């Protein structure tokens, strides 16, 4: 069964039809004949929030295992077939979902659907100790390269652990710990797949130069016989008080290029009007080189080489505002913190100017349009709204809620949330060079 939303003018004529197979797989189709390409996006409703203590990192590990072969496609065949057909592909894991996606020449759409169905329906046939060990090593190496062995690499992991207390489903990040990755057994992986990689726990979107009737027939042909599974437990409650109640602070002395200040603030849940207002506030305060913090810290006071806010939208827990400031020259962290708090306090009292509000909303509208402009971006957004909010049609009108936000709402959410007693703070200071390092530097200078 399916229905088509009647698009209001603000969708730019974009439409999406929804269908559901008898095994529970939700399907969203969106025609776009501007270019001869098609995007396939498959979101599974499983992320790191579904993991338990001692078994962190399984969702991300399984993302990698899904590219290790299935019944009909051994080894690296998924990559080889998609890329050989002129397509691109990848997968990602977050706190709240795991997704897989391909962008193909339109005439190769059937291949992408068959490949996704084959691993959904038959990955366990090919999953063995060898593939588990192979991808376990890949994930551990990824952790070393992206987190453990790069400057400031564990900042996000540390801050989320501070903002979300021990035992909270968002306390750990999707990468998982080395110890838990080592502890994961083949049976753990198989049980994880059986529980979460079922059609009734997934949303499949196909966007682009497609024939909806033919596409739906292929989906029914390849996915329709995969059995559903009802063993999934609901994710644990991720709710927390609006405000932490105190500033949580951790000084760090590490091998980093310069002192830095990073902080995370609790924000409202994704899907709320309050978070849309917070998005506008963060854009004004720290969204690029026209923002207040950049103008104050980088341009005017010259305390920093970079300064800005980011937003991590979370539906099952408080979202996070992410502050990142890297110092310039001999600047002191204390002076940076004072400047940041002055800017936040002034914004909380007076709110944005009319010009700032208009510019921020235009910036967020452009970002929304950029996401929907490509078939891959639109497919991902349709899946996101289907999995997290139950309605893919919201993806086509999401910007309207941002454009409807008023200046007082922006001021109020900043005053309520962007305050010292609602943040976790990391202060990075570089380690002093060892005597050996100093001698080596001196010797290098003498040789020059």
């Amino acid at each position: 069964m399916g229905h088509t939303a009647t698009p209001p003018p603000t969708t730019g004529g974009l439409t999406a039809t929804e269908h559901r197979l008898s095994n529970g797989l939700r399907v969203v189709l969106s025609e776009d004949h501007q270019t001869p390409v098609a995007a396939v996006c498959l979101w599974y409703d499983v992320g790191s929030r579904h993991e338990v203590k001692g078994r962190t990192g399984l969702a991300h590990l399984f993302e990698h295992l899904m590219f290790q072969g299935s019944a009909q496609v051994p080894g690296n065949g998924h990559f080889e077939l998609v890329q050989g057909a002129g397509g691109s592909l990848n997968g990602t894991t977050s706190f709240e979902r795991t997704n897989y996606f391909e962008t193909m020449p339109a005439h190769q759409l059937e291949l992408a659907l068959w490949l996704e169905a084959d691993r959904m329906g038959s990955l366990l046939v090919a999953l063995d100790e060898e593939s588990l060990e192979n991808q376990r090593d890949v994930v551990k190496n990824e952790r070393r390269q992206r987190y453990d062995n790069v400057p400031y690499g564990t900042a996000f992991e540390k801050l989320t652990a501070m903002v979300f207390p021990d035992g909270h489903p968002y306390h750990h990040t999707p990468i998982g710990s080395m110890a838990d990755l080592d502890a994961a057994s083949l049976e753990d992986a198989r049980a994880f797949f059986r529980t979460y990689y079922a059609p009734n726990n997934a949303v499949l979107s196909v966007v682009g130069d497609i024939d909806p009737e033919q596409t739906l027939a292929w989906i029914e042909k390849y996915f329709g016989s995969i059995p559903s599974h009802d063993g999934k437990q609901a994710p644990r409650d991720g709710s927390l008080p609006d405000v932490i109640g105190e500033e949580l602070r951790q000084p760090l002395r590490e091998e980093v290029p310069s002192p830095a200040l990073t902080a995370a603030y609790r924000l409202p849940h994704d899907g709320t009007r309050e978070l849309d207002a917070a998005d506008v506030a963060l854009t004004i305060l720290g969204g690029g080189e026209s923002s207040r913090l950049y103008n104050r810290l980088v341009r005017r006071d010259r305390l920093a080489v970079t300064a800005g806010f980011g937003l991590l939208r979370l539906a099952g827990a408080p979202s996070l505002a992410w502050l990142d400031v890297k110092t310039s020259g001999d600047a002191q962290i204390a002076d940076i913190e004072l400047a940041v708090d002055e800017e936040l306090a002034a914004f909380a009292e007076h709110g944005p100017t009319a010009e700032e509000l208009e510019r921020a909303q235009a910036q967020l509208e452009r970002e929304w349009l950029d996401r929907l402009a490509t078939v891959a971006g639109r497919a991902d957004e349709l899946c996101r709204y289907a999995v997290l909010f139950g309605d893919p049609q919201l993806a086509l009108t999401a910007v309207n809620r941002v454009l409807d936000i008023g200046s007082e709402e922006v001021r109020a959410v900043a005053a309520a949330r962007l305050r010292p007693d609602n943040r976790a703070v990391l202060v990075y200071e570089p380690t002093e060079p060892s005597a050996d390092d100093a001698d080596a530097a001196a010797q290098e200078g003498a040789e020059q």
Side-chain angles (χ1 to χ4, degrees):
M1 300 293 293
H3 71 271
T4 303
T6 300
T10 49
T11 67
L14 299 178
T15 63
T17 62
E18 302 172 53
H19 315 267
R20 189 182 293 270
L21 304 191
S22 60
N23 58 10
L25 178 67
R26 295 182 66 186
V27 179
V28 185
L29 305 180
S30 180
E31 285 185 82
D32 182 348
H33 300 291
Q34 295 187 62
T35 55
V37 295
V40 173
C41 187
L42 187 59
W43 272 45
Y44 291 93
D45 187 9
V46 57
S48 58
R49 68 169 172 164
H50 296 86
E51 299 164 351
V52 297
K53 194 170 184 177
R55 287 296 179 268
T56 66
L58 267 177
H60 181 232
L61 175 60
F62 221 96
E63 173 211 318
H64 286 257
L65 289 172
M66 285 285 276
F67 291 100
Q68 272 289 283
S70 50
Q72 307 299 322
V73 187
N76 201 42
H78 196 110
F79 276 100
E80 294 169 354
L81 287 168
V82 170
Q83 293 172 343
S88 60
L89 72 161
N90 213 331
T92 67
T93 310
S94 76
F95 289 96
E96 300 181 320
R97 59 96 184 105
T98 307
N99 68 345
Y100 303 89
F101 44 92
E102 294 90 4
T103 301
M104 306 287 284
H107 68 280
Q108 296 286 1
L109 171 60
E110 184 180 9
L111 172 62
L113 294 171
W114 175 76
L115 286 168
E116 287 294 356
D118 191 60
R119 60 182 175 181
M120 178 191 281
S122 70
L123 186 106
L124 285 184
V125 175
L127 182 58
D128 56 20
E129 287 286 357
E130 182 180 358
S131 58
L132 176 63
E133 289 303 319
N134 178 291
Q135 291 308 305
R136 191 202 313 269
D137 288 343
V138 169
V139 172
K140 289 169 67 176
N141 194 47
E142 179 181 336
R143 180 181 173 90
R144 294 184 192 100
Q145 292 180 342
R146 296 187 180 181
Y147 292 79
D148 298 336
N149 297 336
V150 296
Y152 320 107
T154 58
F156 179 67
E157 188 173 43
K158 287 182 169 67
L159 285 174
T160 53
M162 295 165 72
V163 172
F164 301 119
D166 191 22
H168 190 275
Y170 292 69
H171 178 71
H172 67 279
T173 55
I175 193 66
S177 73
M178 285 291 198
D180 288 354
L181 288 169
D182 284 334
S185 69
L186 181 61
E187 187 46 47
D188 289 333
R190 286 173 172 164
F192 193 88
F193 180 85
R194 284 191 291 265
T195 300
Y196 296 109
Y197 279 77
N200 53 318
N201 195 48
V203 172
L204 172 67
S205 67
V206 184
V207 175
D209 188 15
I210 64 172
D211 176 336
E213 185 175 344
Q214 176 63 77
T215 301
L216 195 58
W218 282 331
I219 293 170
E220 181 66 58
K221 176 182 178 180
Y222 297 124
F223 289 88
S225 61
I226 302 172
S228 60
H229 183 77
D230 297 324
K232 176 186 172 182
Q233 298 294 313
R236 290 171 292 144
D237 182 18
S239 61
L240 288 170
D242 289 349
V243 175
I244 297 171
E246 61 177 322
E247 182 184 79
L248 306 174
R249 177 176 289 261
Q250 184 178 355
L252 298 167
R253 189 166 289 278
E254 296 185 2
E255 292 185 35
V256 294
S258 64
L261 173 72
T262 62
Y265 297 75
R266 278 188 197 164
L267 293 179
H269 289 230
D270 194 10
T272 63
R273 187 177 180 90
E274 293 78 11
L275 187 64
D276 289 334
D279 199 356
V280 176
L282 295 177
T283 302
I284 295 168
L285 288 164
E289 296 184 5
S290 64
S291 67
R292 289 195 181 191
L293 287 179
Y294 193 93
N295 280 318
R296 169 73 183 273
L297 295 171
V298 179
R299 286 203 173 99
R300 196 191 89 177
D301 295 354
R302 298 187 178 181
L303 296 171
V305 294
T306 182
F309 264 119
L311 171 60
L312 175 64
R313 288 179 172 268
L314 297 172
S319 301
L320 296 182
W322 175 274
L323 174 68
D324 183 27
V325 183
K326 303 295 191 307
T327 61
S328 173
D330 297 326
Q332 300 298 306
I333 293 294
D335 294 332
I336 288 175
E337 287 194 89
L338 179 62
V340 168
D341 285 342
E342 286 177 356
E343 292 298 324
L344 295 184
F347 193 83
E349 182 177 358
H350 302 294
T353 66
E355 181 184 356
E356 286 178 323
L357 180 63
E358 182 180 4
R359 185 170 62 241
Q361 288 175 321
Q363 181 175 331
L364 293 170
E365 182 178 27
R366 177 187 57 77
E367 292 170 0
W368 174 77
L369 289 169
D370 285 346
R371 290 193 296 273
L372 294 192
T374 67
V375 292
R378 197 181 322 151
D380 191 60
E381 288 293 292
L382 291 169
C383 278
R384 184 171 88 87
Y385 280 94
V387 170
L388 298 180
F389 306 108
D391 185 2
Q393 308 294 342
L394 293 173
L396 305 181
T397 57
V399 73
N400 295 345
R401 297 187 296 279
V402 173
L403 299 179
D404 189 48
I405 297 294
S407 59
E408 174 56 25
E409 293 174 276
V410 176
R411 185 208 64 79
V413 75
R417 300 303 188 104
L418 300 180
R419 37 193 265 196
D421 65 346
N422 187 38
R423 68 186 176 200
V425 178
L426 300 178
V427 178
Y428 282 90
E429 293 289 351
T431 55
E432 295 294 332
S434 66
D436 290 342
D437 291 337
D439 290 343
Q443 178 65 29
E444 183 179 345
E447 291 174 355
Q448 293 176 351

